Amino acid sequence: SIFLALIFSVQLAAQTASAFLSSGTIKMKIKNYRGAADDFSKAIELDPNFVDAYISRAQTFQYLNDYYAAIR
């Protein structure tokens, strides 16, 4: 049914958003801050309610001394 397909697509997007969060976290550890910010932004794009991705992206922009981007 359409309802089940919608539930599946939301679950898949959440898993993919989590994968981008994990990838961004790894990139932060190796100090690839620009790549990490891109991954966190992709996670947010896939799941706009993903609070951990917003927090991680803000921290990444802080490391890049881009304080304006950190608060957007």
Side-chain angles (χ1 to χ4, degrees):
S1 78
I2 294 173
F3 181 71
L4 290 176
L6 179 60
I7 290 173
F8 178 75
S9 67
V10 168
Q11 289 174 341
L12 183 60
Q15 289 174 356
T16 304
S18 293
F20 276 102
L21 179 71
S22 296
S23 175
T25 301
I26 291 167
K27 288 177 182 176
M28 276 192 70
K29 288 182 180 183
I30 62 170
K31 299 182 180 182
N32 177 1
Y33 299 125
R34 186 60 54 200
D38 291 343
D39 284 355
F40 297 140
S41 292
K42 185 63 176 176
I44 292 165
E45 179 184 319
L46 293 169
D47 183 358
N49 298 314
F50 198 1
V51 175
D52 290 341
Y54 283 101
I55 293 169
S56 295
R57 184 175 70 176
Q59 290 172 335
T60 302
F61 283 129
Q62 182 180 358
Y63 287 124
L64 291 169
N65 296 318
D66 189 348
Y67 302 108
Y68 178 76
I71 61 171
R72 69 171 169 88

